Amino acid sequence: MPAMRSKHVTAVAPAAHNPGVALRALRRQRGWTLAEIGARTGLPISTLSKIENGKMSLSFDKLTRIAQGLEVDIGELFAAPAASGNDQFAGRRSITRAGEGYAIRSEHYDHRYPASELLNKRLVPIIVDVHARSLDEFGELIRHAGEEYAMVLEGSVEMHSELYAPMRLEVGDSIYFDSSMGHAYIAAAPGPCRLLAVCSGNENHLRAALSNRYPIETPRETPREARPQRLSG
């Protein structure tokens, strides 16, 4: 969803997951200086220093540039420090309670990313609340690498794509498609409209595409009892 207008987006990160701390740890792990990170991200050294020390508000653009410069998923900037010992084991799992997860909110979609603490996932699950009620309101179609599966959880969705006629999907209906094909989900009935989307591909690039590269507030450290509850349309 390329940005056509200025819209406000908010990211909510789990408590104590500080992007500045993660940036410093990753930089030191790789033996890079702030100047080298600056060359990779296009950000001034003074800006990077303020980010590392928690003295600057972050935008989604800065988060994306840092993640791409470090060649990591954007979720790694919010991940808790890795435990010592051998982390390479099978059987990892993640439980996400209702209302938890990395959240991005824009005019057309609310996205919540379950299992956001797991890095380098083969599949990226997203709970999507759809707000746009016409293709004109939505704007340009989304494209991102990989494939996508979506199932309607609530309401009705009209699926638009550049190669097929619009298709209406009701609760329980699902669709699997090549997500490099331009596409858009449109709310097709009054009331809340929610779906589960499961995407393949790089999570960092996916979030950048789905967030429209809109401005983003500094992620808030929110205690569990104060975290936002289940997103509603």
Side-chain angles (χ1 to χ4, degrees):
M1 298 181 292
M4 306 302 292
R5 302 180 289 274
S6 176
K7 301 181 181 70
H8 198 257
V9 186
T10 303
V12 180
H17 296 186
N18 187 321
V21 172
L23 169 60
R24 182 187 296 113
L26 289 166
R27 179 175 64 80
R28 291 178 175 175
Q29 183 183 45
R30 299 175 187 192
W32 292 342
T33 64
L34 283 174
E36 288 174 304
I37 297 295
R40 287 173 167 269
T41 62
L43 296 173
I45 294 174
S46 59
T47 297
L48 292 168
S49 177
K50 290 177 182 177
I51 292 172
E52 285 196 355
N53 290 286
K55 296 180 179 179
M56 173 171 281
S57 296
L58 288 172
S59 67
F60 190 81
D61 175 68
K62 287 187 179 71
L63 286 170
T64 300
R65 288 163 70 178
I66 290 170
Q68 290 175 343
L70 293 171
E71 299 179 350
V72 298
D73 286 339
I74 200 168
E76 193 161 346
L77 297 176
F78 296 96
S84 59
N86 182 14
D87 296 327
Q88 303 302 318
F89 55 87
R92 66 177 184 165
R93 75 172 194 177
S94 173
I95 297 174
T96 303
R97 303 297 183 185
E100 294 183 341
Y102 184 97
I104 294 178
R105 302 183 178 95
S106 70
E107 182 177 339
H108 299 324
Y109 286 153
D110 286 349
H111 298 130
R112 189 173 295 279
Y113 293 80
S116 58
E117 78 280 10
L118 293 184
L119 307 179
N120 302 313
K121 297 187 289 292
R122 293 187 179 94
L123 300 174
V124 181
I126 313 170
I127 304 297
V128 183
D129 284 299
V130 182
H131 303 311
R133 297 191 177 275
S134 71
L135 196 57
D136 287 340
E137 179 186 349
F138 186 90
E140 190 172 341
L141 300 177
I142 304 167
R143 294 173 180 81
H144 53 87
E147 298 179 316
E148 184 165 340
Y149 171 82
M151 173 180 282
V152 179
L153 303 177
E154 184 177 2
S156 298
V157 174
E158 192 170 76
M159 169 68 179
H160 290 257
S161 68
E162 59 186 347
L163 298 182
Y164 298 92
M167 173 67 66
R168 183 164 176 144
L169 303 172
E170 305 293 345
V171 172
D173 293 342
S174 63
I175 185 170
Y176 189 106
F177 60 95
D178 176 357
S179 50
S180 65
M181 172 179 62
H183 60 280
Y185 300 119
I186 305 297
C193 178
R194 175 175 293 169
L195 56 86
L196 167 66
V198 181
C199 305
S200 67
N202 182 283
E203 187 166 6
N204 176 33
H205 297 163
L206 177 64
R207 286 181 180 172
L210 295 182
S211 70
N212 296 336
R213 299 182 295 277
Y214 297 154
I216 196 168
E217 286 185 350
T218 305
R220 299 191 299 271
E221 293 186 359
T222 317
R224 181 182 180 91
E225 62 272 14
R227 288 178 186 168
Q229 296 304 307
R230 189 186 303 263
L231 292 172
S232 60

